[in-house]
């Protein structure tokens, strides 16, 4: 989704902005632009297409002079991707440049009003309204104009503003869309994502909703919506810049798949002490947990799929009802939530707007919120009553892999810790499950060591135009994720079904040559699943089976090819099974020549509803 970077200091701004934009490319975008103020005044270059095209245009102009500027990558919402709709947008008098992430909901009404005063708009975007409104309110004090404009607009925004009348400062403002400020010797930066500025500083702070910041080379002031000063806490970003680089892999996605043993190890090890799971971060008493009426899991996309697996795990361990809701549906379904409901919110980015809005709704209805988040200091983390971070490190590929795996590991930790506190697990079962969890990183390494076999099978099956993933119970939850991985990066049609559900309609689509990926690692339902596999096989499907090593022979008798993972505790099966599914999707997409790290139409962090 859109990205923002801003710089004010004593060096040339343009190269810093372009490099920052390159680091934001992974978020997904369709156009890009920069505005720099210098001896040539306010210079704006923007274009549809890649950062490289923008950099070439800047070069053709002989560069942009000036040590203050803003950059933006746009993911089109209002108005098609085009040069004119790209940001920065500049007010009619050419003196105020704006970059914006989010959506201005009442833009049409404001545009109509401004047009009635004689303002001419050049783009179709909601963002241009902000630039024009700022000019309308500007009477010599840009901060005043910003507060007036912000009181008038509705919607979500992270804004970067540069006014030619005060060219020593950038203004930033945020509501529901992330924005960070970075501090350095003789410079300040702003960005929608730390990856854009980590090269320059690790000393950052996160703007909160309603806050406005004013940045010069040497000073940074933060205010609330009424311009009252606000003290901000600085945070240190401690991951290495190499974590956001490919490190010899062809794609970030492959690198991140291969990092899963480490990511899972980093996530679980600090939370296991003396044979027990210790979640120091949480303050939920055993009484509170025992009295829960329900756990409501809220998430989107792959995080939702983790929620689907979590339902099986948590219901089994805690003996409490667990409901899983798509965040975009939760808000509008009149959910039954009480003070005894725990909302478990799952999000890699911590900024997905649907999930954030659902979190707020759950809180409003009285639930306490526990979140599982990867990005430290993100909105979801900050607004939760308790947060368990997944220590996956930065995830750059749009298709999530290591964040998914670490989210699952945190679910298992929660299951163990809560079950013990609630008295719903015996000592022996607890010890077995914990030992299996600690062994996961090693088993993940083993699964990854077979990636050439998966590459070979991808080369056999990559040309099937339509793929069904079937499985029961936890196998079904993994099938959902396997199917999403495949379709999002290879653009093949794919669906996931609970294996027993197929015969209620969808089986009519199975014919000679359809590829079915059958997940059959779940022992308690193994025979039932295999009956469903026989049903598709006898209708002509090509079947790729996935199971645990001890069941390989039984599966192999029915299917065309079999992939295996080592046996683990049955509740941890998804952690191992998902890896061959990720690799299969990766290699199929590779064989189709797809842009794996930046699939079409997708964005890493979805900050619009
Ligand atoms: C798919 C994927 C998305 C995200 C979804 C939620 O590979 O990454 O489906 O899982 O957009 O994002 P987060 O977890 O950041 O809330």
């Amino acid at each position: 989704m859109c990205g923002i970077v801003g710089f004010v200091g004593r060096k040339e701004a343009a190269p810093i902005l372009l490099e920052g934009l390159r680091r934001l490319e992974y978020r997904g975008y369709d156009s890009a632009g920069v505005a720099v103020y210098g001896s040539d005044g306010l210079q704006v270059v923007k274009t549809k297409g890649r950062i490289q095209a923008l950099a070439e245009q800047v070069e053709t102009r002989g560069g942009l002079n000036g040590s203050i500027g803003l950059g933006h990558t746009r993911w089109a919402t209002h108005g098609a991707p085009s040069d004119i709709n790209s940001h920065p947008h500049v007010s009619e008098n050419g003196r105020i440049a704006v970059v914006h992430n989010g959506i201005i909901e009442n833009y049409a009404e404001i545009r109509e009003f401004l047009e009635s005063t004689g303002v001419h708009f050049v783009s179709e975007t909601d963002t241009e309204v902000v630039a024009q409104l700022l000019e309308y309110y500007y009477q010599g004090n840009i901060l005043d104009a910003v507060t007036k404009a912000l009181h008038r607009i509705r919607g979500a925004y992270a804004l970067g503003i540069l006014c030619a009348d005060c060219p020593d400062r950038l203004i930033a403002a945020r509501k529901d869309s992330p924005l960070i400020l970075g501090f350095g010797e003789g410079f300040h930066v702003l960005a929608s994502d730390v990856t854009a500025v980590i090269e320059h500083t690790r000393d950052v702070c996160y703007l909160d909703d309603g806050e406005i910041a004013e940045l010069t080379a040497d000073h940074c002031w933060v205010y609330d919506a009424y311009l009252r000063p606000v003290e901000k806490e600085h945070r240190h970003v401690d991951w290495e810049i190499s974590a956001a680089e490919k490190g010899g892999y062809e794609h970030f996605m492959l690198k991140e798949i291969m990092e899963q043993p480490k990511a899972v190890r980093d996530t679980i090890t600090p939370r296991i002490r003396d044979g027990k799971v210790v979640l120091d971060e949480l303050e939920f008493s055993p009484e509170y947990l025992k009295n829960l009426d329900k756990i409501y899991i809220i998430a989107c996309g792959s995080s939702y799929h983790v929620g689907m697996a979590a339902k099986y795990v948590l219901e089994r361990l805690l003996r409490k009802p667990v409901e899983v809701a798509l965040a975009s549906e939760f808000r509008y379904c009149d959910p039954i939530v009480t003070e005894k409901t725990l909302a478990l919110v799952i999000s890699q980015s911590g900024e997905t707007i649907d999930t954030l809005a659902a979190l707020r709704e759950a809180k409003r209805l009285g639930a306490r919120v526990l979140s599982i988040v990867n990005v430290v200091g993100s909105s979801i983390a900050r607004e939760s009553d308790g947060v368990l971070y997944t220590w996956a490190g930065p995830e750059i590929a749009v298709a999530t892999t290591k964040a998914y795996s670490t989210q699952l590991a945190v679910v298992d930790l929660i299951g163990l810790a809560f079950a013990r506190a609630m008295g719903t697990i015996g000592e022996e079962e607890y010890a077995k499950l914990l030992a299996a969890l600690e062994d996961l990183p090693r088993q993940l390494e083993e699964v990854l060591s077979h990636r050439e076999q998966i590459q070979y099978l991808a080369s056999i099956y990559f040309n099937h135009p339509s793929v069904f993933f079937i499985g029961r119970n936890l196998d079904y939850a993994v099938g959902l994720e396997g199917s999403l991985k495949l379709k999002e990066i290879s653009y093949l049609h794919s669906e996931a079904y609970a294996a027993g559900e197929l015969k209620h309609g969808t089986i009519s689509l199975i014919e000679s040559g359809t590829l079915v990926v059958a997940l059959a690692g779940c022992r308690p339902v193994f025979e039932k699943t295999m009956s469903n596999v026989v049903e598709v096989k006898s209708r002509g499907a090509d079947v790729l089976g996935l199971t645990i090593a001890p069941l390989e022979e039984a599966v192999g008798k029915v299917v065309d090819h079999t992939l295996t993972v080592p046996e683990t505790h049955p509740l941890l099966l998804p952690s191992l099974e998902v890896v061959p599914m990720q690799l299969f999707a990766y290699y199929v997409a590779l064989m189709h020549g797809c842009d794996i790290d930046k699939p079409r139409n997708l964005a890493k962090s979805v900050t619009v509803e």
Side-chain angles (χ1 to χ4, degrees):
M1 212 124 279
C2 304
I4 289 178
V5 57
F7 175 84
V8 50
R10 297 193 177 85
K11 290 189 203 161
E12 285 299 302
I16 294 171
L17 298 176
L18 288 169
E19 186 48 37
L21 292 181
R22 279 198 187 94
R23 293 201 177 270
L24 291 176
E25 278 194 295
Y26 77 97
R27 293 169 65 100
Y29 71 106
D30 45 55
S31 44
V34 285
V36 173
Y37 187 91
S39 52
D40 295 337
L42 188 62
Q43 311 138 78
V44 178
V45 183
K46 52 189 197 170
T47 182
K48 181 179 165 190
R50 297 281 149 191
I51 309 290
Q52 190 47 33
L54 177 70
E56 281 160 18
Q57 289 198 22
V58 168
E59 206 175 306
T60 314
R61 286 177 57 132
L64 300 173
N65 71 73
S67 53
I68 180 167
L70 294 166
H72 190 264
T73 48
R74 174 173 188 253
W75 188 84
T77 57
H78 295 62
S82 69
D83 294 357
I84 211 84
N85 287 335
S86 314
H87 302 207
H89 288 281
V90 179
S91 63
E92 200 170 4
N93 67 6
R95 303 201 63 77
I96 301 175
V98 173
V99 292
H100 164 224
N101 289 358
I103 288 181
I104 307 299
E105 283 164 8
N106 57 342
Y107 82 101
E109 159 199 328
I110 300 176
R111 179 169 174 144
E112 204 178 314
F113 161 75
L114 290 169
E115 280 174 338
S116 75
T117 69
V119 175
H120 292 103
F121 281 77
V122 292
S123 78
E124 301 154 273
T125 64
D126 52 335
T127 304
E128 190 184 350
V129 159
V130 181
Q132 306 288 18
L133 193 62
L134 286 170
E135 180 183 318
Y136 174 80
Y137 282 126
Y138 182 70
Q139 288 184 335
N141 182 331
I142 188 66
L143 271 180
D144 256 8
V146 169
T147 47
K148 285 187 180 126
L150 294 186
H151 282 117
R152 182 135 185 195
I153 63 181
R154 273 200 322 272
Y157 51 79
L159 289 167
I161 299 161
L162 172 53
C163 175
D165 289 356
C166 42
D168 63 336
R169 62 201 58 214
L170 292 174
I171 309 293
R174 135 174 201 156
K175 182 176 165 285
D176 292 345
S177 210
L179 203 55
I180 62 142
L181 310 178
F183 306 87
E185 278 293 309
F187 71 89
H188 282 101
V189 284
L190 68 92
S192 49
D193 180 329
V194 290
T195 31
V197 294
I198 179 107
E199 208 180 330
H200 307 290
T201 180
R202 289 163 180 280
D203 181 11
V204 303
C205 81
Y206 300 89
L207 275 192
D208 281 305
D209 275 354
E211 288 178 346
I212 299 169
E214 194 180 3
L215 306 170
T216 63
D218 299 310
H219 296 283
C220 167
W221 299 270
V222 179
Y223 312 101
D224 68 8
Y226 299 94
L227 292 185
R228 292 176 296 220
V230 175
E231 281 295 320
K232 296 298 289 181
E233 193 188 326
H234 285 219
R235 287 170 186 261
H236 182 75
V237 180
D238 56 8
W239 48 264
E240 290 306 315
I241 195 159
S242 60
E245 286 167 351
K246 282 190 204 150
Y249 286 97
E250 197 176 342
H251 294 99
F252 279 111
M253 183 176 175
L254 184 58
K255 174 180 177 244
E256 288 162 6
I257 289 173
M258 299 303 289
E259 281 172 353
Q260 289 178 110
K262 177 178 182 325
V264 170
R265 192 176 286 121
D266 289 351
T267 299
I268 61 176
T269 309
R271 290 161 170 148
I272 299 175
R273 271 175 251 148
D274 302 328
K276 277 198 211 96
V277 175
V278 184
L279 303 179
D280 286 332
E281 304 99 317
L282 302 188
E283 288 171 3
F284 296 121
S285 69
E287 281 60 46
Y288 166 77
L289 294 173
K290 281 181 197 159
N291 282 326
L292 287 177
D293 58 5
K294 157 159 85 173
I295 298 176
Y296 224 137
I297 300 182
I298 302 167
C300 300
S302 293
S303 298
Y304 170 79
H305 296 157
V306 170
M308 290 294 285
K311 176 179 167 69
Y312 293 104
V313 174
L314 297 180
E315 282 190 340
R316 161 85 196 281
L317 291 174
L318 311 181
R319 308 314 299 157
K320 291 279 181 192
V322 177
E323 196 164 338
V324 195
L326 290 164
S328 53
E329 289 295 314
F330 176 85
R331 288 172 77 189
Y332 306 107
C333 72
D334 199 3
I336 301 172
V337 170
T338 71
E339 279 97 63
K340 291 184 178 174
T341 306
L342 176 65
L344 179 59
V345 171
I346 308 177
S347 175
Q348 185 282 128
S349 61
E351 299 294 350
T352 302
I353 196 79
D354 285 325
T355 312
L356 181 60
L359 175 159
R360 290 175 180 163
E361 178 65 2
K363 269 184 124 172
R364 192 186 68 77
L365 294 169
R368 287 178 77 183
V369 176
L370 166 58
S371 62
I372 302 176
V373 174
N374 193 41
V375 178
V376 175
S378 55
S379 304
I380 290 173
R382 284 181 295 149
E383 294 193 25
S384 300
D385 299 300
V387 51
L388 288 168
Y389 284 110
T390 47
W391 299 117
E395 192 178 60
I396 305 293
V398 164
T400 183
T401 52
K402 61 177 179 170
Y404 172 97
S405 290
T406 51
Q407 288 168 350
L408 268 183
V410 171
V411 164
D412 299 328
L413 289 168
I414 291 174
L416 275 163
F418 285 11
R420 195 180 179 95
M422 293 159 79
T424 52
I425 193 167
E427 284 300 322
E428 201 183 321
E429 176 69 356
Y430 182 88
K432 255 203 232 159
L433 183 51
L434 185 60
L437 186 61
E438 287 187 281
D439 199 29
L440 269 186
R442 183 196 63 78
Q443 290 187 310
L444 283 166
E445 272 156 15
E446 191 181 329
V447 175
L448 289 167
S449 70
H450 299 304
R451 70 180 208 264
E452 274 166 19
Q453 187 204 358
I454 301 166
Q455 182 170 20
Y456 164 70
L457 291 175
S459 74
I460 295 178
Y461 290 117
F462 80 103
N463 257 334
H464 283 67
S466 185
V467 187
F468 289 83
F469 288 73
I470 62 169
R472 288 170 180 250
N473 200 279
L474 284 166
D475 282 329
Y476 168 52
V478 180
L480 289 167
E481 178 61 5
S483 169
L484 178 62
K485 284 286 90 76
L486 185 69
K487 66 189 134 202
E488 70 181 327
I489 60 168
S490 72
Y491 317 143
L492 293 184
H493 168 255
S494 165
E495 293 182 46
Y497 269 84
E501 180 62 16
L502 214 58
K503 58 186 173 296
H504 296 289
T506 312
I507 201 160
S508 60
L509 292 172
I510 306 291
E511 57 183 356
S512 174
T514 309
L515 175 59
V516 173
V517 178
L519 293 100
C522 231
R523 278 189 186 272
V525 288
F526 178 68
E527 282 170 9
K528 298 272 177 220
T529 306
M530 288 314 290
S531 310
N532 302 129
V533 177
V534 172
E535 285 159 14
V536 293
K537 194 71 200 131
S538 58
R539 282 161 181 83
D542 294 332
V543 182
L544 169 61
L546 173 62
T547 189
I548 48 173
L551 297 174
E552 180 176 11
E553 204 184 323
V555 173
K557 284 187 185 139
V558 180
V559 306
D560 298 286
H561 291 95
T562 316
L563 284 166
T564 61
V565 295
E567 184 152 31
T568 175
H569 187 288
L571 293 181
L572 304 187
L573 184 65
S575 295
L576 298 181
E577 277 190 343
V578 76
V579 176
M581 298 292 88
Q582 298 165 342
L583 284 166
F584 183 72
Y586 173 79
Y587 287 118
V588 167
L590 193 65
M591 283 158 204
H592 280 280
C594 297
D595 189 352
I596 292 182
D597 286 334
K598 296 190 282 286
R600 69 184 180 208
N601 303 338
L602 292 181
K604 183 66 184 162
S605 167
V606 184
T607 48
V608 295
E609 278 187 63

